Amino acid sequence: MRIGDIVQRYGLRAEGPGDWAKLEVHSVAAIDHAGPGQITFYSNPEYAPLLPTLQASALLVREVTPGFAGLQLVYKDPQFIYAKLALEFYRPDHGPIGIDPRALVHP
């Protein structure tokens, strides 16, 4: 999914370096595990020490946050957008659809 599409779909404000609109992301992750190709969120100052070394492709924030040099996606409730994106990226595998040809019904 492209960052530009995410920004447009959810009405986010993008703040950061480079041509971010075409940047692809493939999942969300917790701030202490996020890496390239992932989006995370920041709302708790307890995690501020992680920001300078954070490798995530984008950071969802309430307001532009010093300490993270990458792309910041600003929204009034970053955790809400994170949850919406988690639902978009999560695709459960429910197995094959249909009736197994070996299925039997007892009379």
Side-chain angles (χ1 to χ4, degrees):
M1 185 179 303
R2 289 187 182 141
I3 294 282
D5 295 335
I6 294 170
V7 167
Q8 186 176 23
R9 183 176 303 133
Y10 294 107
L12 310 178
R13 189 177 90 238
E15 298 284 340
D19 184 18
W20 50 264
K22 294 182 182 178
L23 182 65
E24 292 278 341
V25 290
H26 56 79
S27 63
V28 296
I31 194 167
D32 55 345
H33 292 96
Q38 295 181 309
I39 293 179
T40 190
F41 77 97
Y42 172 75
S43 62
N44 185 340
E46 179 180 320
Y47 293 101
L50 299 176
L51 295 177
T53 58
L54 184 61
Q55 297 296 309
S57 293
L59 180 66
L60 291 160
V61 294
R62 185 171 287 114
E63 55 192 33
V64 174
T65 304
F68 180 64
L71 177 62
Q72 297 186 41
L73 303 177
V74 183
Y75 190 75
K76 63 184 174 186
D77 188 353
Q79 196 168 0
F80 173 74
I81 299 299
Y82 179 87
K84 298 283 274 183
L85 288 172
L87 289 172
E88 282 194 51
F89 285 119
Y90 177 68
R91 300 284 183 232
D93 179 10
H94 295 292
I97 297 174
I99 300 172
D100 190 313
R102 300 169 291 172
L104 299 172
V105 178
H106 189 275

